[in-house]
Amino acid sequence: MVEVVAACVSEVVDLRRYLAGSQALGRQGLAALLLGTPEDEVADTAVRTLGAVQMALFISLMTQWLTDPERSGSPTPTRLPMPLKSSRTYAPSPASSTHASSQRR
């Protein structure tokens, strides 16, 4: 099924462009939410890393719930925030990522 959808999307350039843009905005919004930063101030690296990981988690949860709701762990408002809050603990602060990159040079 996923292969069929992917094949259809790749054939329709406008749909693909729309979906890609929507996903980019979603990654940016998720990174901003988790970092507690306004969306227009989120660094590109945070969008590409933290935002992308969170987007992947959400898509995976939605797919699991839609295809097998009885055994998927049924994401609920009480279960879902815990892993998301935990992932925020591992998000690098802007100061630490700058410091780490300067040490590697």
Side-chain angles (χ1 to χ4, degrees):
M1 176 73 168
V2 172
E3 294 84 11
V4 173
V5 172
C8 291
V9 168
S10 67
E11 293 297 319
V12 182
V13 176
D14 290 337
L15 177 59
R16 184 177 183 184
R17 196 173 297 133
Y18 174 78
L19 292 173
S22 297
Q23 287 185 0
L25 289 173
R27 289 188 295 270
Q28 183 176 14
L30 287 169
L33 179 69
L34 291 169
L35 295 172
T37 305
E39 286 187 33
D40 58 346
E41 295 178 16
V42 177
D44 288 342
T45 54
V47 172
R48 288 192 312 271
T49 56
L50 185 60
V53 168
Q54 294 304 313
M55 176 75 75
L57 289 172
F58 280 134
I59 292 170
S60 175
L61 283 170
M62 288 187 311
T63 303
Q64 291 176 51
W65 185 77
L66 288 170
T67 58
D68 191 7
E70 293 82 24
R71 294 182 292 180
S72 68
S74 300
T76 65
T78 55
R79 290 183 189 163
L80 193 56
M82 189 168 52
L84 296 178
K85 288 178 183 175
S86 297
S87 67
R88 186 173 183 183
T89 304
Y90 301 105
S93 67
S96 67
S97 61
T98 303
H99 179 68
S101 64
S102 64
Q103 286 183 335
R104 282 187 238 138
R105 291 182 189 165

